[in-house]
């Protein structure tokens, strides 16, 4: 890697925060409105990764199909509940805040690149005391594209110094995003991935965020 300090870009859901329980509450609210049976959090995790529209579409297909009024009407019901309740059962993974603090103390620039829409994403970041660590953002409604399109990462880092990229995520979509923007990919193995680590092929992976600062330090050859 270059002698320049890299910019570190983080996915949000499944990487820094476990948001599946909150998302599942919104999903089950929608299903109650439709007169359908609820789904489990573990099932709902399989829908996460390609944005809220795809989440709701997959939820509907799994529970009986898309209603005649389409996905958009259901997405509106979902968002009305979720945007107000995005923190209700969302938690940071252990060690996240300390890891981000260490990276900032090492003068690294951090950015968020998430499929989550801006309003609930900022609510989560501020509510869990994470917003302060980041200087760049790309949300699910920032552009007309979503990850794995590299323009999402370019948008997240547009105001940061030009530097190599390290991308930290938890999923197959994140892995492809890193490839598309030529970033070193670090996988958080305890998130929402659907495939074995050997199939995702990250540069490296970690099971706890407590290990992330030292992992990045080793990659860039700079002790902190």
């Amino acid at each position: 890697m270059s002698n320049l300090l890299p910019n570190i870009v983080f996915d949000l859901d499944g990487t820094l925060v476990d948001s599946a329980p909150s998302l599942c509450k919104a999903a089950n609210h929608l299903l109650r409105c439709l007169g359908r049976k609820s789904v489990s959090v573990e099932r709902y995790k399989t829908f996460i990764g390609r944005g809220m529209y795809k989440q709701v579409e997959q939820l509907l297909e799994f529970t009986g199909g898309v209603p005649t009024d389409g996905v958009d009407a259901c997405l509106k019901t979902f968002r009305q509940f979720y945007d107000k309740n995005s923190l209700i059962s969302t938690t940071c993974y252990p060690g996240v805040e300390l890891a981000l603090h260490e990276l900032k103390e090492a003068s690294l620039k951090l950015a968020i690149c998430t499929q989550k829409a801006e309003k609930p994403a900022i609510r989560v970041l501020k509510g869990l005391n994470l917003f302060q660590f980041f200087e760049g953002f790309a949300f699910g409604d920032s552009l007309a594209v979503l990850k794995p399109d590299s323009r999402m990462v370019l948008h997240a880092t547009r105001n940061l110094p030009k530097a190599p990229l390290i991308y930290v995520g938890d999923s197959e979509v994140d892995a492809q995003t890193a490839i598309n923007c030529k970033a070193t990919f670090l996988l958080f193995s305890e998130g929402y991935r659907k495939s074995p680590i050997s199939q995702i092929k990250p540069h490296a992976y970690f099971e706890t965020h407590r290990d992330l600062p030292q992992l990045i330090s080793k990659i860039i050859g700079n002790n902190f």
Side-chain angles (χ1 to χ4, degrees):
M1 182 167 280
S2 161
N3 290 329
L4 286 173
L5 286 178
N7 295 322
I8 316 296
V9 181
F10 286 87
D11 171 54
L12 182 59
D13 297 68
T15 298
L16 295 176
V17 303
D18 183 7
S19 56
S22 293
L23 288 162
C24 191
K25 285 183 184 296
N28 286 330
H29 167 74
L30 170 60
L31 293 175
R32 284 193 298 273
C33 292
L34 295 173
R36 299 184 183 184
K37 293 181 179 180
S38 63
V39 296
S40 68
V41 173
E42 288 306 309
R43 171 57 64 182
Y44 196 81
K45 285 179 182 179
T46 68
F47 306 147
I48 297 173
R50 295 189 176 274
M52 282 192 175
Y53 184 95
K54 290 298 293 184
Q55 282 182 42
V56 171
E57 183 178 52
Q58 290 180 76
L59 172 72
L60 294 171
E61 290 172 347
F62 179 77
T63 58
V66 176
T68 54
D69 54 355
V71 176
D72 287 332
C74 293
L75 178 61
K76 182 178 180 180
T77 300
F78 181 99
R79 283 290 304 271
Q80 285 173 338
F81 183 93
Y82 182 68
D83 287 4
K84 294 177 182 177
N85 297 283
S86 50
L87 275 168
I88 193 168
S89 298
T90 296
T91 56
C92 287
Y93 288 107
V96 163
E97 190 170 347
L98 180 59
L100 295 177
H101 178 76
E102 287 186 31
L103 294 173
K104 286 291 286 186
E105 285 291 299
S107 299
L108 293 164
K109 302 292 186 182
L110 312 183
I112 285 285
C113 186
T114 176
Q115 312 282 47
K116 190 187 292 296
E118 180 175 358
K119 183 178 179 179
I122 289 180
R123 184 187 291 268
V124 166
L125 288 166
K126 289 185 174 180
L128 296 179
N129 199 35
L130 302 180
F131 187 83
Q132 61 184 311
F133 297 111
F134 298 98
E135 298 179 55
F137 302 89
F139 303 107
D141 48 3
S142 296
L143 301 173
V145 297
L146 292 172
K147 297 184 291 184
D149 195 302
S150 62
R151 284 173 286 180
M152 285 285 285
V153 174
L154 291 174
H155 188 78
T157 58
R158 66 195 184 282
N159 295 322
L160 303 186
K162 298 297 181 184
L165 293 174
I166 292 177
Y167 187 97
V168 184
D170 71 297
S171 71
E172 296 82 353
V173 170
D174 290 321
Q176 189 59 51
T177 303
I179 290 170
N180 291 349
C181 64
K182 298 179 172 58
T184 298
F185 180 54
L186 304 183
L187 174 73
F188 175 53
S189 61
E190 307 308 297
Y192 304 153
R193 64 185 168 88
K194 304 168 183 65
S195 308
I197 295 172
S198 59
Q199 187 174 324
I200 296 175
K201 299 179 180 178
H203 179 89
Y205 70 91
F206 59 101
E207 297 179 356
T208 170
H209 287 80
R210 298 180 186 92
D211 295 335
L212 182 59
Q214 280 306 111
L215 178 59
I216 290 176
S217 174
K218 182 178 179 181
I219 290 170
I220 66 179
N222 185 14
N223 292 322
F224 55 85

